Amino acid sequence: MKKTLRLSLILAVLLFLWAFVEDINAETYNSFLIRKIRFEFDNKDEIKNSEKYMPLLNIKSGEKYNSKNIRHSMQNLYKIGSFSDIEVKISNVSEKELDLNFLLYSKYKIKNIKINGIRGINRGEIRKSLLSVRENTFLDEENLERSIKEFKEFMRSRGYFNSEVNYKLVKDKFDVTIIFIIERGNSAEINRIFFRGENPNIHGKLKKQLDKKKYVPYKFLTLIEEFKEELKNERYYFPEISVKEVFLNKAKKLVNLYITVNPGHQYVFRFVGIKGKLEFVTSIWKKKVFEKWAERESTARITAHFRNRGYLNAEVSSDIKTEKGKKIISFIIDKNERFTLGKISFSGNKFFSSKILENVITIDDLIFDKIFFLRINSIRVDQEVLKWFYYYKGFPLVKIETSLQFRKKVAHLNYFITEGRRFKIDSVFFRGNRHIDSKKLESLTINKANDPFVQKQINEDIENIRNYYFSNGFDEVKIKTDISPGTDKSILIDIDEGKRYRFGNLIIVGASGDQKKLIRKLFPLKRGSDFNRIKIENFRREIDKSSIFSEINTVKVKKNDKIDLLILTDVNRNKYLGFGIGYEERTGVRFTFEYQKKNIFNSYSTFSALIQVGLNERRGEVSYETPFIFRNRVDSSLKIWEENEIYRSYKFNRYGVSESLIKKLTPFSYILTSLSWYRTKLLELKVTGSVYDRLDDPFDITALNFSYIVDKRDNPFFPTRGEFFSTDVKFAFPVFNNNYSFLRFRWGYQKNLKFMKNGIFSYSVRNGFATNNIPITERFFGGGSSTFRGTRNDKLGSLDRITGEPFGGNSLFLLNLEATFPMYLIPIEDLYYSIFADFGNIYRFASEFSLGNLQKAIGFGLRIRSPIGLLRFDIAYNIDRRENVSPVAFHIGIGNVF
């Protein structure tokens, strides 16, 4: 120990002397001017890019030599992360001048990882065990040593206790392939298993599971964990099982296992007054907790359960006994009477009238609590709602208690409110704002004099001011508040602005040439402009969305009054394989297979292939997509596809090619344009064909499509507020023989608004027209869960007299009215009901269009908000009864109706 301390002391002294000598040498050059600065690389490919590193230096040619600035320059270069070592050398020293040389030693990048000698072992599993080294990262010796330990640990888990792992590096310029060579050695076998513990019955059960000859630790431990779960299911909640290995030879081929089993107590729960309700308490007792706490928590949970079901006077007592290795926990429940909600009153409220508070709470709208039973949770929810209401009105100390008065089977509810003092803002002052005028800062704040004092809103104001400073070059701004005591608050916002910075240089590392050009094109700051942290964060988020890079980091390099930005990228070369299953009303069940590869050809484009197979359709598609055209934010998609689909009136086969462009105009609107060519062949036709509909006679369509969409809904899957507008124009023109020529136009508008107290009213209008010479595959169809619910899918409009199938049409009109409300009658969260009225028709010819000839339907529906989207169940009655159309239609759907 003393020897180690002596060596450490000697080493520390030597390092100090070296640093001291270096500082003396540096001092000798302090009066020298730097004539030239050069970069020297061991990687020849970097020589042509040497100029891009110059902005990272804190020194320039013509300046005086400064050792501190040189050290900062080296630190900046190290931030790039691609250099293993950096040296600085002085050359060509004259009387008052010298040259400065930065020697940069590049790290090797791991191009490939190969694993040899793993015959009989799952290659994917062994790769998952390798965490320290990854392809497309820089080589690090320490990580290599860690990877050997990872491999050995993996081999040990597979039963190879004396495996050997070595590696070999194959270098090509500055790329490296790592070849791991694994010698498995012999696997271990079990000689005997010895069981220890006090319960021989449990030993026998475990022995049956562990009756194995070959010893593979991970499988062995998996079996033990499974056995632990079996014990827990038998209510031995805290079993302890330990395994000790004793190898019988140096080669570790033979092993004895000593297994100690301590199952702990078996927990038995008894309920008096109700049937067994294990689900109330088992989750509490499964955790290692104090018994008295678990007993109290269980009692409280059972009490809350019954009080939430109208038994507001329910009482629960409990007891714990230990008998022969068992913990017996007894619960005695006296439910008493069940109550419904009676009158609601308020007391203690001085600042707000009872009428105002009635509009805040929701329990008076809960029909279920008035008809069936009063739930204690309904009361607690409104307690919290009232607290927040008072808080945002300047009453942070408000206390709200409830009391119930029971009359027969009705519980009258009183909210007793202790409002406390009301706090308000007397004045707001700013201090330390030398560069930004106080009037400008005032315009950024929500809170003004005489407003309620709300700490959360003050915090939001501080965040707004901080972001404004960040947007105007103040990257180091610090803001704190000083709030006066008393009810009338004077707020002093104290600002330490720090230095104001300009943007300097943009340095990009890790991206390809095209990707670098894209980043520079999209980068929001110009050299010399105010440094803007907010714009840079938004820029980074935008780049992240494009999935060009699996990782993108920004490093700020501060020099005097400028900030250079270093962007370090890791290109996303991931491949994606996907499988999905879905359902559509028209087509039924559908399976989807997808393959995707990012950034092909070192660009920022994606190649993908998709296959969809259903009971009634199939589709194959290959696409080339890019989120940027000429380095402008325009989504582009080139697709080649082939599809075979069945509709109610026809069946067809089609293949084609299309190019689509999507441009976002505002946060709420975008345009889509596409040019497509496709060939269609009708395979089956169930209606009388027109001159344009011929079986087994392929026809071509070349079309230009333009769409404009504005979406201001708060949630496109279940909108409660906002509006949606879309318009689409499709122009088909003759290019080749057998081409159709037509014009089709359609538009739609949807509006969602608050209705009554907690309801949503939505209406949607859709309209379209097309020229007469249009094939059946391009006509309008209507009817079904998302258009006109009074008929089955596509059954709206004229029907063939013989087959009863729809012709489709050259014009359509749809009007949907729907009111949606929470389902108060059934206490299930995210359950809603709707009443609706649908009006619409499909006109076979545009000249027949008439609003006086609309079909009408009314109906009722259920809505369930789920993780996969909005689930809809609708039943509609068609007021206009027609032949071949049932007066009642049922629909199941996913997603928004319109």
Side-chain angles (χ1 to χ4, degrees), residues 599-646:
N599 298 316
I600 59 175
F601 311 127
N602 283 324
S603 67
Y604 35 83
S605 301
T606 299
F607 170 81
S608 61
L610 178 141
I611 297 174
Q612 288 182 331
V613 180
L615 299 176
N616 298 312
E617 66 169 3
R618 73 171 189 269
R619 180 181 177 87
E621 178 182 290
V622 175
S623 64
Y624 177 84
E625 299 169 354
T626 179
F628 302 96
I629 294 289
F630 301 116
R631 295 188 284 278
N632 289 305
R633 191 65 172 94
V634 178
D635 288 292
S636 168
S637 177
L638 176 64
K639 293 182 181 179
I640 301 173
W641 80 92
E642 190 273 339
E643 59 189 347
N644 193 87
E645 295 195 17
I646 298 175

Side-chain angles (χ1 to χ4, degrees), residues 302-333:
I302 295 171
T303 303
H305 170 80
F306 285 102
R307 289 184 179 177
N308 203 42
R309 278 152 182 76
Y311 300 100
L312 302 174
N313 289 327
E315 295 177 354
V316 181
S317 59
S318 60
D319 180 53
I320 301 176
K321 292 180 181 178
T322 304
E323 294 180 4
K324 296 179 181 180
K326 294 183 179 180
K327 289 276 186 182
I328 302 172
I329 302 103
S330 302
F331 297 98
I332 302 154
I333 299 101

Side-chain angles (χ1 to χ4, degrees), residues 651-696:
K651 176 181 177 181
F652 72 89
N653 173 265
R654 175 184 290 163
Y655 59 87
V657 59
S658 68
E659 169 65 28
S660 301
L661 301 176
I662 302 176
K663 173 66 176 176
K664 195 171 185 178
L665 301 177
T666 70
F668 308 105
S669 65
Y670 60 92
I671 57 172
L672 182 151
T673 59
S674 65
L675 179 63
S676 57
W677 173 89
Y678 47 93
R679 173 164 290 177
T680 305
K681 181 180 180 181
L682 281 174
L683 304 176
E684 186 177 349
L685 190 62
K686 297 180 182 178
V687 295
T688 305
S690 70
V691 68
Y692 307 107
D693 303 322
R694 300 184 296 274
L695 285 172
D696 298 318

Side-chain angles (χ1 to χ4, degrees), residues 2 340 598 623 727 747 782 823 834 871 880:
K2 290 181 179 179
T340 57
K598 299 280 187 181
S623 64
T727 183
W747 65 275
M823 181 65 82
S834 295
L871 304 180
D880 300 312

Side-chain angles (χ1 to χ4, degrees), residues 431-535:
R431 184 172 66 188
N433 51 312
R434 295 177 291 108
H435 293 86
I436 309 296
D437 186 76
S438 295
K439 288 185 177 179
K440 177 60 184 177
L441 297 179
E442 284 176 11
S443 69
L444 301 172
T445 61
I446 304 168
N447 298 282
K448 311 295 181 188
N450 297 317
D451 284 349
F453 174 80
V454 182
Q455 185 62 57
K456 284 182 176 290
Q457 291 182 341
I458 298 295
N459 296 342
E460 290 174 10
D461 283 348
I462 300 303
E463 191 63 22
N464 289 339
I465 293 171
R466 183 180 288 111
N467 288 340
Y468 184 79
Y469 270 97
F470 284 157
S471 299
N472 287 273
F474 297 92
D475 194 61
E476 299 165 348
V477 63
K478 296 175 183 177
I479 303 174
K480 59 183 181 180
T481 57
D482 188 3
I483 301 172
S484 68
T487 56
D488 292 342
K489 300 288 189 182
S490 291
I491 302 171
L492 175 63
I493 300 176
D494 198 356
I495 303 170
D496 179 4
E497 294 180 332
K499 189 184 290 186
R500 190 170 195 169
Y501 289 94
R502 302 284 180 183
F503 176 65
N505 298 284
L506 180 64
I507 303 113
I508 306 165
V509 176
S512 69
D514 284 344
Q515 291 161 355
K516 286 179 183 177
K517 290 177 182 176
L518 175 66
I519 289 173
R520 291 188 182 279
K521 170 78 175 179
L522 299 177
F523 192 72
L525 303 184
K526 293 183 179 180
R527 190 172 182 178
S529 63
D530 283 335
F531 188 80
N532 191 320
R533 181 193 287 197
I534 305 301
K535 282 187 177 180

Side-chain angles (χ1 to χ4, degrees), residues 710-725:
V710 179
D711 191 352
K712 293 184 178 181
R713 296 172 295 181
D714 56 351
N715 183 342
F717 303 103
F718 187 54
T720 61
R721 304 287 183 276
E723 57 189 356
F724 176 84
F725 172 79

